[in-house]
């Protein structure tokens, strides 16, 4: 964790610290899909109250990272291959709509500049897997945000937690490959030409390839 991150952590409330610690544990794989999240054990590990842990877990449930398990005990969310396919089809539909709305925007040149800058960050994030995932999701979130459709972006944000769990639970190479910037540039190039149909087609192919890799056991 960087010095800046540590300074930010110092300013956080106990609930916020618990939330950050638990989210990081899930997203780095220390808690894997299906793992139970016991309040007593976590409270002891973090030296905080069970109530504080409960509040943090409730927030993570809203993010889609955890879900109720046996006897109501929360566990890290686990998605079946069919659910992963459904998740990415819904995601593709949202981002496809964003693409269509971007093409019709009056500010298309500026939007293209912003998307290219976001892709440059993704291209630079080749070392740390977490950094690469953040850069990848930031590009896709920006794609939705630049559509100017706030409901679309808010709906996409609800998918972000499950997407993170799916990506982090896949094998290293299978989760890295879909995040390669080269897979994303044709989308932006098509947008720059005002070709929404090609942009949507490339986006769909990208999502379908990601699902195949993320569902692979290799």
């Amino acid at each position: 964790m960087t010095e800046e991150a540590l300074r930010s952590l110092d300013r956080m409330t106990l609930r916020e610290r618990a939330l950050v610690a638990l989210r990081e544990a899930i997203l780095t794989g220390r808690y894997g899909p299906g793992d139970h999240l016991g309040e007593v054990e976590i409270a002891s590990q973090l030296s905080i109250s069970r109530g504080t842990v409960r509040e943090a877990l409730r927030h993570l449930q809203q993010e889609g990272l955890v879900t109720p398990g046996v006897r109501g005990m929360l566990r890290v969310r686990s998605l079946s291959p069919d659910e992963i396919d459904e998740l990415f089809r819904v995601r593709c539909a949202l981002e496809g709509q964003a693409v269509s709305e971007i093409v019709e925007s009056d500010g298309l040149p500026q939007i293209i500049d912003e998307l290219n800058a976001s892709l440059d960050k993704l291209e630079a994030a080749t070392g740390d897997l977490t950094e690469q995932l953040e850069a990848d999701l930031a590009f896709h979130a920006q794609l939705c945000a630049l559509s100017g459709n706030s409901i679309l972006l808010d709906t996409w944000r609800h998918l972000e937690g499950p997407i993170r769990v799916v990506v982090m639970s896949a094998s290293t190479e299978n989760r890295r490959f879909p995040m390669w910037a080269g897979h994303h540039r044709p989308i932006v190039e098509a947008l720059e030409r005002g070709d929404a149909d090609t942009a949507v087609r490339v986006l769909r192919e990208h999502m379908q390839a990601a699902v195949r890799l993320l569902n692979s056991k290799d």
Side-chain angles (χ1 to χ4, degrees):
M1 188 174 288
T2 65
E3 289 185 13
E4 183 179 352
L6 288 171
R7 286 195 296 270
S8 297
L9 199 59
D10 286 340
R11 295 191 294 269
M12 291 179 180
T13 65
L14 285 176
R15 174 187 170 280
E16 289 169 335
R17 290 189 184 193
L19 181 59
V20 168
L22 287 169
R23 186 189 289 119
E24 182 180 5
I26 292 170
L27 297 181
T28 57
R30 291 203 298 274
Y31 287 124
D35 284 354
H36 288 291
L37 301 167
E39 290 179 8
V40 175
E41 178 186 355
I42 294 171
S44 175
Q45 291 174 347
L46 298 179
S47 299
I48 56 177
S49 70
R50 289 181 61 185
T52 301
V53 172
R54 191 177 303 118
E55 289 177 10
L57 289 174
R58 188 178 300 120
H59 190 99
L60 291 174
Q61 186 175 4
Q62 293 171 352
E63 291 183 12
L65 290 174
V66 303
T67 188
V70 179
R71 295 187 296 277
M73 181 182 290
L74 293 177
R75 59 182 175 83
V76 179
R77 187 168 182 181
S78 176
L79 281 79
S80 69
D82 285 344
E83 288 173 324
I84 293 173
D85 180 56
E86 291 169 357
L87 172 65
F88 275 75
R89 280 194 283 123
V90 172
R91 178 184 175 185
C92 185
L94 289 171
E95 295 184 27
Q97 180 62 30
V99 161
S100 299
E101 296 191 19
I102 284 174
V103 167
E104 297 175 359
S105 171
D106 293 332
L108 186 58
Q110 181 180 349
I111 289 174
I112 297 303
D113 288 343
E114 293 185 43
L115 288 174
N116 277 323
S118 186
L119 280 180
D120 289 342
K121 292 179 181 178
L122 176 57
E123 197 162 38
T126 56
D128 183 75
L129 182 61
T130 302
E131 181 187 3
Q132 192 175 12
L133 175 58
E134 292 304 320
D136 177 76
L137 290 175
F139 169 80
H140 289 280
Q142 187 179 41
L143 189 69
C144 294
L146 290 173
S147 72
N149 188 327
S150 61
I151 301 299
L152 189 156
L153 176 61
D154 186 57
T155 304
W156 187 93
R157 287 291 188 193
H158 284 292
L159 305 179
E160 194 171 357
I163 291 169
R164 289 175 185 274
V165 171
V166 168
V167 172
M168 293 306 294
S169 62
S171 67
T172 301
E173 286 308 311
N174 283 355
R175 58 191 175 191
R176 279 189 186 278
F177 189 72
M179 295 188 287
W180 181 46
H183 294 312
H184 299 70
R185 289 202 182 277
I187 300 170
V188 179
E189 290 168 356
L191 285 173
E192 189 170 14
R193 298 192 303 269
D195 186 352
D197 290 342
T198 297
V200 170
R201 176 179 58 77
V202 174
L203 180 66
R204 185 182 303 112
E205 291 171 353
H206 173 59
M207 293 296 175
Q208 290 171 342
V211 167
R212 286 195 296 272
L213 285 169
L214 293 171
N215 272 333
S216 173
K217 301 303 181 184
D218 297 333

